[in-house]
Amino acid sequence: CGLDNCSGAAHHRRMTGRAIPVRLTIGERLRYYRRAQGMTQASLAHAIRQDAASVCRMEAGEREPSASQLEALVRALGLTMATFYGETA
């Protein structure tokens, strides 16, 4: 999408002062946005009623979240799925 041209890029810059790299795994995106929000793995896990080890495994790429878990994670991070994936709104 040419990240600099999509509305998601502007949101990322407001959150962190820079755009998110385009080619990240789901786990890398989760870690990026969790840290950008100042959340710990434990606080994110609590928000989605999981344990911190589950979030840790997702971020490490050892476990893929289900569709419903990913929706809950994205919501807990205060994002939309489009923003999470860096898509043009």
Side-chain angles (χ1 to χ4, degrees):
C1 79
L3 193 57
D4 288 334
N5 296 328
C6 80
S7 63
H11 174 75
H12 306 305
R13 278 194 204 92
R14 283 193 302 276
M15 285 179 57
T16 65
R18 56 183 162 49
I20 186 173
V22 176
R23 293 188 174 123
L24 295 179
T25 66
I26 289 173
E28 290 167 333
R29 287 176 186 278
L30 287 173
R31 179 178 292 126
Y32 177 89
Y33 285 116
R34 176 181 59 77
R35 288 178 175 170
Q37 294 290 357
M39 297 177 81
T40 64
Q41 287 177 337
S43 63
L44 180 56
H46 179 74
I48 64 163
R49 298 186 174 138
Q50 296 285 318
D51 58 32
S54 293
V55 172
C56 179
R57 286 190 299 273
M58 287 181 221
E59 287 184 356
E62 297 171 8
R63 181 172 169 270
E64 288 290 321
S66 68
S68 61
Q69 286 174 323
L70 184 57
E71 288 176 15
L73 287 160
V74 169
R75 211 172 21 255
L77 292 167
L79 304 170
T80 65
M81 291 298 274
T83 301
F84 181 77
Y85 283 110
E87 297 173 359
T88 303

